[in-house]
Amino acid sequence: MKNSRRKAKAVIVGGSIAGVSCAHALIAAGWDVVVLEKTSTPPEGCATGAGLGLDSVSEKLIQPWITQPELLQVLSLPMTIEHEQATDADKKITWTLTRDDNFNYKAMHWADLHRILYHSLSPEVVLWGHLFVSFSISDDKRSVKVQAKVLQTDETIEIVGDLLVSADGCHSAIRKTFLPDHKLRYSGYCAWRGVLDYSDNPQSETVVALKKAYPDLGKTNYFDIGSDGHAILYELINKRINWIWYRNQTEPDFKGNSVTTKVSKDMIEKMLTAAEKVWIPEFVKVMRETKEPFLNAIYDSDPLEQLYWDNVVLIGDAAHPISPHGGRSTNMSILDAAVLGKCLEKWGVEKLSSALQEYQSIRVVVAREQVLFSRRMGRIKQRLPLPDRELFDPVTADQKECEALRLRNIPYFCDVPSILI
């Protein structure tokens, strides 16, 4: 029966991890796929950028998509421990709040994960340097026409498909078409972040001191609550340290729709001076020796109740902008892609509405709970007010309060939708 169906076509807008994951899932479901990405070239050899945590569910979903599954092991380090601690700003000492020794994530660099997903697609699938312009749905709701500008030539092209997938991030232009009043919510804080590459001097004084202060680096995701926000520290392959410092501040004025920006030397120096008043010296030295740290404004949005309209569907951050404190953004994108692919395979293009309705019914509740949990966790760790509790105090917090900080408390932490089993 499945082989008698005509081959359907999807146009995916956005070539980040959500978009290329969706391409894999839809190709596996028997669809033709084209991905439109405004960036001119793949992010090969990206030295800066961010680390991410890949959970065990995402790892299993990705393996059949990629041509070299062993690369998931080669390009990652196991994070088997989640360590929540606090720092005394005056005494410059740390102490453990809670520790989860059954944590099961992989630490990867964003560019490494994207590269193995992208290179496992046929070269013609992703159209680089193609800026999404607009779309229109046919009167009979059976097709969608997408317009894109080829940035190199300035010409506009049209692509017709059965389905338009919005994987264009938290500032999604496609989402705004249907929900023009839906706004992103600034969290009240930004993240300073960077990756220290110490491969040229693995026994440097800075690295030796850091590993003495954080003895489980290489297998642990360290979360640290200080007097001014909280921080994250973990190791990546090829002798790199990923660090993040979340600081409360007024909303920055970034250009365009970007949530990240490069920063001036003066901004960096002010940040480092402030860091010396909050964190232990071993951590501050890592910050000082990091090339090109950058600033990331933290946003989410109130959860959506609808993820599709006719033959247009949202996935990834376009569907559920989320703050990073549940470790979910990348993992949600991969799961969205896998679920959408299975729903389309189950129902076929002839029953596209049923496929998208099932996708929405599976993902919308999970997304709502995870977005709200992550928002709440961020406010707790930033010591920002919540209506139903006192500010978190790491000095007086009891065991129950500390254990509530663990990532595994997020709803649907390890759940796998039945359609994927």
Side-chain angles (χ1 to χ4, degrees):
M1 178 67 70
K2 176 182 171 183
N3 292 334
S4 67
R5 295 172 176 169
R6 71 176 179 86
K7 197 164 189 179
K9 183 173 183 176
V11 181
I12 301 170
V13 175
S16 191
I17 286 174
V20 293
S21 295
C22 191
H24 279 289
L26 269 58
I27 290 169
W31 282 56
D32 281 333
V33 172
V34 62
V35 179
L36 302 176
E37 170 52 46
K38 63 183 179 182
T39 306
S40 59
T41 57
E44 300 289 349
C46 180
T48 58
L52 58 85
L54 193 68
D55 69 21
S56 59
V57 175
S58 293
E59 184 182 359
K60 290 177 182 177
L61 292 173
I62 288 171
Q63 284 176 344
W65 295 345
I66 60 179
T67 52
Q68 295 178 281
E70 66 275 9
L71 287 180
L72 284 175
Q73 306 300 323
V74 173
L75 296 174
S76 67
L77 286 178
M79 287 194 289
T80 59
I81 302 167
E82 177 195 358
H83 188 110
E84 302 275 355
Q85 65 180 37
T87 293
D88 186 302
D90 297 320
K91 298 178 181 178
K92 296 296 190 292
I93 60 172
T94 65
W95 69 96
T96 299
L97 298 173
T98 185
R99 180 180 167 104
D100 183 353
D101 287 282
N102 295 307
F103 199 55
N104 189 15
Y105 270 53
K106 293 288 178 64
M108 294 190 72
H109 195 284
W110 182 94
D112 290 337
L113 179 58
H114 185 274
R115 184 168 58 252
I116 61 176
L117 286 167
Y118 167 61
H119 283 297
S120 296
L121 292 168
S122 298
E124 70 276 5
V125 171
V126 182
L127 302 181
W128 298 98
H130 283 61
L131 175 66
F132 166 79
V133 175
S134 64
F135 72 92
S136 59
I137 300 171
S138 63
D139 292 339
D140 62 5
K141 313 296 185 185
R142 294 180 63 85
S143 66
V144 59
K145 182 186 295 182
V146 180
Q147 289 191 326
K149 179 182 286 188
V150 183
L151 297 181
Q152 189 172 13
T153 64
D154 209 34
E155 67 174 319
T156 298
I157 65 169
E158 292 185 344
I159 303 174
V160 177
D162 300 281
L163 176 67
L164 172 59
V165 181
S166 169
D168 51 342
C170 63
H171 285 289
S172 171
I174 296 171
R175 186 185 67 230
K176 289 179 182 178
T177 302
F178 300 103
L179 300 170
D181 297 326
H182 186 80
K183 306 296 183 184
L184 292 184
R185 167 196 162 275
Y186 178 59
S187 64
Y189 48 92
C190 289
W192 279 94
R193 59 195 310 162
V195 176
L196 172 68
D197 184 342
Y198 66 95
S199 57
D200 60 343
N201 190 6
Q203 295 302 316
S204 71
E205 180 182 335
T206 297
V207 172
V208 170
L210 183 74
K211 293 194 172 186
K212 185 176 181 180
Y214 298 86
D216 290 319
L217 268 179
K219 60 181 179 181
T220 299
N221 196 357
Y222 280 98
F223 295 85
D224 201 338
I225 296 178
S227 58
D228 184 0
H230 75 286
I232 301 176
L233 190 71
Y234 57 88
E235 191 160 6
L236 301 168
I237 65 159
N238 296 331
K239 302 190 184 310
R240 293 173 292 175
I241 302 293
N242 185 83
W243 61 267
I244 310 169
W245 177 21
Y246 299 99
R247 295 190 69 196
N248 298 336
Q249 67 167 76
T250 57
E251 183 175 3
D253 184 18
F254 288 172
K255 294 181 180 179
N257 286 331
S258 177
V259 296
T260 64
T261 186
K262 288 189 175 181
V263 289
S264 67
K265 290 183 179 179
D266 183 60
M267 291 172 67
I268 294 172
E269 193 54 44
K270 288 181 179 178
M271 178 273 290
L272 293 171
T273 299
E276 290 173 347
K277 300 175 182 178
V278 179
W279 306 114
I280 59 176
E282 294 88 344
F283 186 17
V284 178
K285 285 183 179 179
V286 169
M287 294 179 176
R288 283 199 173 275
E289 294 182 17
T290 298
K291 297 179 180 178
E292 298 184 19
F294 61 96
L295 192 61
N296 177 195
I298 306 301
Y299 292 90
D300 67 8
S301 77
D302 290 338
L304 302 182
E305 297 299 326
Q306 187 171 353
L307 300 182
Y308 82 96
W309 294 261
D310 296 321
N311 42 3
V312 180
V313 63
L314 310 178
I315 70 164
D317 287 344
H320 35 68
I322 186 170
S323 58
H325 312 296
R328 298 306 304 156
S329 179
T330 297
N331 295 297
M332 291 171 79
S333 296
I334 293 168
L335 201 50
D336 286 347
V339 170
L340 179 60
K342 286 299 182 182
C343 289
L344 294 173
E345 182 179 23
K346 173 182 175 181
W347 292 97
V349 68
E350 298 82 1
K351 294 184 178 180
L352 181 61
S353 180
S354 297
L356 299 182
Q357 175 60 47
E358 183 166 13
Y359 163 77
Q360 177 175 278
S361 68
I362 293 170
R363 297 300 295 149
V364 75
V365 175
V366 175
R368 180 194 310 123
E369 295 299 318
Q370 294 192 338
V371 166
L372 295 178
F373 177 94
S374 189
R375 176 186 296 182
R376 181 179 178 86
M377 183 61 70
R379 295 191 70 82
I380 291 172
K381 290 186 175 183
Q382 289 298 108
R383 305 182 74 183
L384 291 169
L386 285 165
D388 60 342
R389 60 166 295 152
E390 298 294 324
L391 296 183
F392 180 78
D393 185 346
V395 175
T396 61
D398 60 24
Q399 182 179 356
K400 185 177 180 181
E401 287 181 284
C402 292
E403 289 181 354
L405 302 175
R406 293 182 179 181
L407 284 185
R408 69 171 56 253
N409 292 315
I410 195 167
Y412 307 100
F413 178 70
C414 286
D415 285 13
V416 180
S418 59
I419 196 169
L420 299 179
I421 299 173

